[in-house]
Amino acid sequence: MVRDLDNIGSIGVVGAGTMGSGIAQVAAQSGYDVVMRDIEEEFVQNGFDSIEDSLDRFVSKDEISEDEAEATVDRITGTTELADLADCDLVVEAALEDMDVKQDIFEDLDDEIPEDVVLATNTSTLSITTIASVTEREEQIVGLHFMNPVPIMKGVEVVVGEKTDDDVTELAHAFAEDLGKETWESDDKPGFVTNRILMPWINEGIRAYDEGVATKEDIDKGMKLGTNTPMGPLELADHIGLDICLDASETLFEELGDRYKPAYLLKRKVDAGDLGKKTGQGFYEY
């Protein structure tokens, strides 16, 4: 079975959005051959554009050479066909944060990918056990929750489902560490470690702004200087994506109750299409 890092040479990534393209990039930078799949060619090309922009920034800062950037892109193959991932040794799903979408993908992966291959999900809040339940390989499903932006953030949360085998968990840690990341482990509880704690912080920052406690700039400045974090809650929400924050908060609210109820202003912003940095307007303009 493909449960040893020495047997992992090629990585499949399902989803070429912000997270998927970031995962594809760091895997390719680490020497893996990558197949990046999305449902439309336009989305695949957008993923390549994001990767090239990210690599250009690293080159401009003299963190990598132009040859290294070109070699990274050359290791990535784009596709719209899930069957093209069939020869990959490990597959990471990074699609929409929606249980129905993820279960549909995992059902298809279970059919298309050899039965000895580990399947990972980049979900930030959804149950690994529930995602795995639609497959015939529940013991080979694990959570690999990368942080955004993937090429810069050093952390990866390994989430263990109800039936995840120990050696699959060990492989997840080893793979993430081989990408230059540091890992921590969470049981399959709502929000895991990071979002269980992070989302209430973001929501309370939004409520404080909505209720006129302070300007958004002072809320962020106070939290950065007062808690030694690189971003305050409003700026961080913009970078994550307000739609993603809302989805995560609603999942936690459904599972854990009122303490996770999304802030009203967060819902209003998402309804208005102001999703943060990716749309050019969130709590701040970009």
Side-chain angles (χ1 to χ4, degrees):
M1 285 196 169
V2 188
R3 295 191 182 182
D4 188 305
L5 190 63
D6 292 338
N7 296 323
I8 306 294
S10 57
I11 307 299
V13 179
V14 181
T18 300
M19 298 304 294
S21 62
I23 294 167
Q25 176 185 327
V26 297
Q29 280 186 274
S30 299
Y32 292 96
D33 293 322
V34 178
V35 181
M36 180 176 68
R37 182 261 184 183
D38 214 313
I39 57 175
E40 293 184 17
E41 185 60 41
E42 177 186 358
F43 300 153
V44 176
Q45 187 55 54
N46 288 342
F48 274 107
D49 291 344
S50 295
I51 290 168
E52 290 170 357
D53 288 346
S54 174
L55 292 169
D56 285 345
R57 287 193 290 272
F58 282 121
V59 171
S60 69
K61 296 176 182 177
D62 292 324
E63 295 182 18
I64 63 172
S65 68
E66 289 187 6
D67 287 345
E68 288 173 316
E70 291 177 7
T72 295
V73 175
D74 287 344
R75 292 190 193 100
I76 305 171
T77 301
T79 184
T80 57
E81 300 296 329
L82 205 62
D84 289 341
L85 279 64
D87 292 331
C88 294
D89 303 315
L90 172 69
V91 176
V92 183
E93 170 272 322
L96 293 173
E97 191 71 354
D98 179 282
M99 181 60 77
D100 290 338
V101 171
K102 290 187 185 295
Q103 285 189 321
D104 285 347
I105 289 171
F106 270 79
E107 280 188 301
D108 291 340
L109 287 172
D110 203 34
D111 291 337
E112 297 285 356
I113 307 301
E115 61 183 12
D116 61 339
V117 173
V118 169
L119 307 178
T121 173
N122 183 58
T123 182
S124 58
T125 56
L126 300 175
S127 168
I128 309 302
T129 304
T130 304
I131 293 171
S133 68
V134 299
T135 74
E136 298 296 325
R137 63 180 93 189
E138 293 176 83
E139 73 284 353
Q140 290 177 224
I141 312 297
V142 66
L144 270 174
H145 177 206
F146 289 80
M147 304 295 114
N148 184 30
V150 179
I152 295 172
M153 298 292 282
K154 290 296 185 183
V156 175
E157 188 169 45
V158 175
V159 187
V160 183
E162 183 69 25
K163 296 186 178 180
T164 306
D165 279 354
D166 289 345
D167 55 353
V168 171
T169 302
E170 291 173 10
L171 174 63
H173 281 285
F175 171 65
E177 290 164 5
D178 197 48
L179 303 185
K181 307 300 185 183
E182 295 186 32
T183 62
W184 62 95
E185 192 170 307
S186 174
D187 196 8
D188 189 19
K189 300 292 194 301
F192 318 136
V193 172
T194 48
N195 279 325
R196 188 183 183 101
I197 297 168
L198 179 61
M199 287 305 142
W201 186 70
I202 286 175
N203 271 296
E204 199 54 40
I206 296 171
R207 289 189 187 98
Y209 174 50
D210 197 23
E211 293 168 10
V213 173
T215 65
K216 57 182 181 287
E217 293 84 1
D218 278 347
I219 289 169
D220 282 340
K221 185 176 183 180
M223 294 312 299
K224 285 189 285 188
L225 297 178
T227 63
N228 198 31
T229 56
M231 293 186 191
L234 302 174
E235 184 183 6
L236 180 57
D238 276 356
H239 277 72
I240 293 171
L242 301 191
D243 52 336
I244 294 171
C245 291
L246 179 59
D247 285 345
S249 296
E250 288 180 333
T251 297
L252 290 166
F253 175 48
E254 182 179 338
E255 295 283 347
L256 299 173
D258 284 349
R259 60 188 168 139
Y260 288 95
K261 185 176 182 179
Y264 170 72
L265 182 56
L266 176 59
K267 290 185 176 182
R268 195 170 68 195
K269 284 280 192 183
V270 172
D271 287 345
D274 295 336
L275 306 183
K277 189 174 182 181
K278 61 187 173 184
T279 61
Q281 177 70 55
F283 291 103
Y284 298 89
E285 291 184 7
Y286 299 88

